[in-house]
Each structure stands twice: as structure tokens, then as C-alpha cells.
Amino acid sequence: MNGFYFIGTRDAELVKLYFQIMHILVQHEVEDFEVWKKVYDEDEPARAAAGFKEITLYQGLDNPNNVVAIFFNDDVEKAREFLQSDHIKEAMQSAGVVSEPQFIELQ
């Protein structure tokens, strides 16, 4: 068994679709997680407008200022445009991102 248990055919189709959508893993270190999180939460409308839907958000176990977020986005070009935009650079700077962010596209 693959770890997924389905109620019906529609559930299997939704899971298959989910794995076909581009996922984006974002990792970076921040100066202060609480400060970063406030800016991150306030910027949610911009991410949503670019098609980003958050799956999960993690903090490092030994370093809570190490942040990993995983999103999905069904528009690859729109996602790439957003990740290269001045807006995201400015938002990360104002949120206190202190390392070079890693944007990893997954499927």
C-alpha cells in the first residue's frame, strides 16, 4: 500500500492532480521568527494573487529562525515571476531574512 487510503475514485483523482501541480519549497534564515511571521502573514494576499497556496510552514528544530515553507501553485510562470519580483525581495528584506533564500521547484 502506498500510504493513501481512498474513499472513492474522485479522491484518487484529486491526489493524482495534487502531485501533478508544481510545489515550491522555500528555505531561508531570518533574524527573528516572530517579526518575520508578522510580515509573512500580512503578505498573504500578494502570495494568493500569485497563485501560492501554503501547504505547511516549519521552523528548524535546533534553530527556530531557520524557516521552510512549502506551497503549491498551478501556474508555473506566474509562480516564477512572483519569486523573481521586486515585491518578494522587498518583503523578505523588511521581514528580516538574513540568508539567501532557496526556491526549489518540485513535482
Side-chain angles (χ1 to χ4, degrees), residues 28-78:
H28 50 67
E29 190 167 341
V30 299
E31 194 170 335
D32 180 308
F33 179 81
E34 296 304 321
V35 171
W36 172 86
K37 183 71 163 73
K38 183 177 185 305
V39 175
Y40 173 82
D41 288 345
E42 291 170 354
D43 201 50
E44 193 279 331
R47 290 190 306 278
F52 282 78
K53 294 161 190 75
E54 182 184 305
I55 298 172
T56 191
L57 179 64
Y58 297 106
Q59 287 179 270
L61 186 61
D62 294 327
N63 178 2
N65 291 325
N66 185 11
V67 178
V68 174
I70 302 175
F71 303 90
F72 68 88
N73 192 320
D74 59 3
D75 188 330
V76 173
E77 292 308 313
K78 197 173 189 181

Side-chain angles (χ1 to χ4, degrees), residues 62-100:
D62 294 327
N63 178 2
N65 291 325
N66 185 11
V67 178
V68 174
I70 302 175
F71 303 90
F72 68 88
N73 192 320
D74 59 3
D75 188 330
V76 173
E77 292 308 313
K78 197 173 189 181
R80 288 176 177 164
E81 183 179 304
F82 181 76
L83 294 175
Q84 296 171 7
S85 71
D86 288 338
H87 171 81
I88 194 71
K89 292 173 187 165
E90 292 166 5
M92 287 187 164
Q93 183 177 14
S94 70
V97 173
V98 295
S99 69
E100 185 70 28

